[in-house]
Amino acid sequence: MASDDDATRAAGIDVGERMIELAAELGAGAVLVVPGVVGESEPYDEVYDRALNSVRALATVGAEHGVTVCVENVWNDFLLSPMEFAEFVDRASASGPVGAYFDVGNVRRFGHPEQWIRILGDRIERVHVKDYRTDVDTMEAFTYPLEGDVDWPAVEAALHDAGYDGWVTAEVPPYRTAAERMLPRVQSDLSYVFS
C-alpha cells in the first residue's frame, strides 16, 4: 500500500477494501494491514506519506462497513517507535476507524512491549502474542510465550491499565512434531500470563 508504483499501490488498496467487506460480512470488526516497507530504494518519508494516504482511504471504507483498519507493527523498518506508531494511527484516524494491531513479540527487539502498550493505550484494537529471545536477534528468535525475554506480567498489567479486554491471538507456528500438543500448551501458557 506504500509502493511508489501507482498500480501496485492501487492493487493493495483494492485488496484492503475487499478484506473490509469480508470482515463486515463475517462480523470480524477489524482487518490487519501492514501499511508499508522501508528499504534502500523506498525512502522512509515517502513510504510514510503513501502509507498514510492508503490507510486513510481504507479507513473511509472501514467507516462505511463498521470495520476498524488495524495497522500491525512488523519488521518492516517502519513505525519504529511507539510514539511514531501512535501518531500514525491518530493521523490516519481522521478518515475513519484506525487502530493498532499490536504484536508483543515484534517490538521486543526494539524496546519493551509494556512501554509500547502504555503509549498506544486505547489505540490498541487487537493483540498478537509470541515471545522473542534477545540473545538470538534474528527471525529465529521468535518463540512461544514464556520461552523468551518478554516480561509477560508487565505486558498483562499494561494491557489491563490500557483497558484492553479484546482478543489475544497467539501467533506461533505449529510444533514440527506432535502438532496436537501445541494448542493445549499455548492455551495453558496464555492462561498463566493473562490470568
Side-chain angles (χ1 to χ4, degrees):
M1 294 190 315
S3 172
D4 63 354
D5 178 73
D6 292 342
T8 301
R9 194 167 57 255
I13 293 169
D14 183 58
V15 168
E17 290 174 352
R18 287 184 288 156
M19 288 170 35
I20 289 167
E21 292 166 2
L22 287 170
E25 288 291 320
L26 296 170
V31 295
L32 181 155
V33 298
V34 175
V37 177
V38 173
E40 261 185 60
S41 61
E42 299 87 18
Y44 200 105
D45 56 337
E46 294 174 20
V47 168
Y48 188 98
D49 290 341
R50 289 191 298 263
L52 184 60
N53 289 334
S54 293
V55 172
R56 283 178 172 164
L58 290 180
T60 300
V61 177
E64 295 169 8
H65 293 279
V67 173
T68 301
V69 177
C70 294
V71 176
E72 185 180 16
N73 53 301
V74 298
W75 282 20
N76 53 350
D77 292 333
F78 187 57
L79 305 177
L80 295 173
S81 80
M83 305 285 279
E84 184 181 15
F85 193 1
E87 180 183 355
F88 184 89
V89 168
D90 290 347
R91 292 182 69 192
S93 294
S95 299
V98 177
Y101 204 126
F102 183 71
D103 189 308
V104 173
N106 282 351
V107 301
R108 183 58 189 97
R109 182 181 196 207
F110 309 107
H112 303 278
E114 63 276 11
Q115 295 175 11
W116 283 62
I117 294 165
R118 190 181 72 249
I119 292 166
L120 291 171
D122 63 2
R123 296 173 188 88
I124 298 173
E125 293 289 332
R126 300 288 192 277
V127 175
H128 273 163
V129 293
K130 61 181 170 269
D131 217 322
Y132 184 79
R133 293 183 49 205
T134 56
D135 62 326
V136 176
D137 199 32
T138 67
M139 291 294 284
E140 299 301 315
F142 292 114
T143 187
Y144 298 91
L146 304 178
E147 291 186 2
D149 295 306
V150 169
D151 182 345
W152 290 105
V155 166
E156 192 276 334
L159 286 170
H160 179 270
D161 291 348
Y164 184 78
D165 66 351
W167 289 98
V168 174
T169 305
E171 188 183 44
V172 294
Y175 286 176
R176 291 185 181 160
T177 60
E180 71 280 358
R181 297 178 72 190
M182 185 210 49
L183 182 58
R185 176 167 172 223
V186 171
Q187 286 177 323
S188 174
D189 289 351
L190 291 178
S191 294
Y192 170 77
V193 170
F194 297 104
S195 54

